[in-house]
Amino acid sequence: MADKEHGDVSSQQNNPLSRKLNKILETRLDNDKDMLEALKALSNVLSDNSLRSRRNLRSDIEKRSLTINEEFLSAFQAVKEQLDSVYGDVKAMSDCCADMTNRLKAAKAQTHHLISQTTSLHAESQKLHMKQEVAAAFLEKFQLKLEEIKILRGARDGALHEDFFKALARVKQIHSDCKILLRTNQQTAGLEIMEAMALQLESGYERLYRWTQNECRLLTGDSPDISPLLCQAMQALQDRPVLFKYSLDEYGTARRSAVVRGFIDALTRGGPGGTPRPIELHSHDPLRYTGDMLAWVHQAAASEKEYLQTLLKLCEAANTSLEENLGHITEGICRPFKVRVEQVLVSEQEAVTLYKLDNLLKFYHNTIAQIVSAESALLTTIMEVQDLSHRMFFNSLSCHANRLLDKVDLPPADLGPTPSLTQTLQLLRDVLACHDASVVPVDDKKQDYKQILSCVIDPLLQMCSMSASRLNTVDMAAYMINCIYLIQSTLALYQFTDTRLEMLQAQTEAQVDTLCSEQAAYVLNRVGLTHIYSCVQQQAEIQGPLSQLQGMDTITVKSAMNKFDSYLANPDSLTLPQCNLLLGTLVRETVKKRSVELICQAYQQMYDTIMDPKHEYKDPQATVPRTPDQVLKLLS
């Protein structure tokens, strides 16, 4: 049975139809793209799935293939006809080109000489064109245009325009560029062009100088209008130093006359419409008169400096020219200013006014020195009148001091200041007060203080000494202390007086020592201790005990000590009248304190001597009942 089944299987496998079916069944259509595409194309051919359609499928496909081939053949036939037409045209064109090539070869052979000549002429034309460009560039760089020449020559009215400076700069540039030509083979052309440009330059500078000179002559108003063209002209004239200097001189002359006229008008006419009023109207007031003139001069100098700076703002190294011309411009007002100030100084007698004028001149000298140079005539003139005012002031002080010494007032009964001293100190206060109010430099102030104090204080002290020469010692000391005290009180209010105050304090100390000694001697004399104190001081020269001397016995000493004890109960009762006349509270206290110290020292010596056993005083404790410390405590 098994063999039978095996035979059936073998027969099925050998059957072609079975193999085909098995192959079809085993086929995987999902992975066979060609089969899918074929089936898709077949679906378009087979309209319906019928038996007839399936039987006629092959014939239908063959018919369809035949139809497609026929259509392709028909279309290709049209293409072939068109290709044949194109071929005919190309062949005709090829024949034509061949014919033209033959003709061109023939023409080229016939015109070869003409072509060579044409090429040569073309090259020559290019060379000539290049030379023309070079010549044009040369002329552009080394020759002036007609417009520039006309501008340099100028119009008949002599007016100057801004283009003139461009043309002048162009000439200068050409003249400078010619130096390059001199280094090449074109030296002749370079020299000729340089000569021509030099003539143009000289002509241009000459015209520029004449125009600048005329413009400067017109600048005579109070506020000159300096145009930008004039500034450019001054800048251009720097290449000709002589013409530049002449132009500046012309400007300086015009401005100098304008400044002098303005100064005279300010003195006599005043401002426009009478405001401000003429300065001469205040000639009776020396300070205002001089101050107004100095203020006008300062303003004029500052204004002229601004005008010059505007004129020379485009120029190099303008400072030197500015200072020189500013000094020349302001020099014109020196003489009228100096004459008027000298008249004021000579006619003035008041020392304070002279000193105020001196400080005013110093202030304006320092102020104007910041505008004009130190060598200018204006600054020199101000310095001269300031020196004169300085001399006049100290001459006035010296005259006042001489009058003090010529007529010395006697001291008053209260030993206070004399009228001369009071007046002189008031004068000194006025002088130093106006000096403090001035704005001169500190060094000048210090030097002036030194001179003023020497000129006033020394004669004043000499006058006080001469006035006190007929007084006794106590009155002289008190009087001198009062005089010096007033002088110190005056000087203490001002600066730079420390040295002089120290000198006065030393003199006061000497007088205070004298007064203290007199006060102590007065007390000892009134209580009867003068003889005792004298013996105590001379005990080294005395042989034997002091108690044996006349006037040094116990009873006499004890009596004197009792009087001294009464003095201790009321110290003010034995004060010198002169001490109460001292003006300074501090000086009075100093005199009192030092005199007490002298009295205590004297009592100490007497106490120590009496308590010494060698002087054989019986019961010394009863003789001098108070110790030095007790005395000092009672008098303090």
Side-chain angles (χ1 to χ4, degrees), residues 12 14 104 132 139 186 211 251 307 319 357 395 404 446 465 514 608:
Q12 289 176 359
N14 293 329
L104 284 173
Q132 182 183 3
L139 293 175
Q186 306 297 327
W211 181 85
Y251 172 85
Y307 299 147
N319 288 335
L357 289 171
N395 183 54
L404 291 177
K446 192 172 183 179
S465 299
T514 301
D608 293 340

Side-chain angles (χ1 to χ4, degrees), residues 45 260 415:
V45 177
V260 173
L415 300 180

Side-chain angles (χ1 to χ4, degrees), residues 109-160:
Q110 296 175 0
T111 61
H112 177 71
H113 177 69
L114 182 60
I115 292 174
S116 299
Q117 188 175 4
T118 302
T119 304
S120 176
L121 290 175
H122 181 68
E124 186 70 21
S125 174
Q126 288 182 339
K127 290 181 181 180
L128 291 174
H129 182 68
M130 184 177 296
K131 289 181 179 180
Q132 182 183 3
E133 292 180 351
V134 171
F138 182 85
L139 293 175
E140 178 70 21
K141 188 173 182 63
F142 293 99
Q143 289 295 326
L144 293 174
K145 297 178 183 179
L146 291 177
E147 294 82 1
E148 293 173 336
I149 295 175
K150 290 180 180 180
I151 291 172
L152 284 174
R153 290 177 180 175
R156 292 182 178 180
D157 58 358
L160 200 69

Side-chain angles (χ1 to χ4, degrees), residues 580-595:
N580 293 325
L581 295 177
L582 295 177
L583 298 177
T585 304
L586 182 60
V587 176
R588 288 199 300 270
E589 294 297 329
T590 302
V591 171
K592 180 179 178 181
K593 181 179 178 181
R594 291 187 184 180
S595 61

Side-chain angles (χ1 to χ4, degrees), residues 45-57 60:
V45 177
L46 189 61
S47 59
D48 55 343
N49 189 10
S50 63
L51 180 62
R52 184 178 178 280
S53 298
R54 288 195 297 273
R55 289 178 177 177
N56 296 330
L57 178 62
D60 290 339

Side-chain angles (χ1 to χ4, degrees), residues 4-33:
K4 183 177 181 179
E5 290 176 357
H6 184 270
D8 291 337
V9 171
S10 300
S11 62
Q12 289 176 359
Q13 292 177 351
N14 293 329
N15 191 349
L17 184 59
S18 298
R19 288 197 302 273
K20 196 167 189 179
L21 286 173
N22 290 331
K23 184 176 181 182
I24 292 171
L25 293 172
E26 294 173 356
T27 301
R28 303 283 295 180
L29 295 178
D30 296 338
N31 297 329
D32 193 349
K33 294 182 179 180

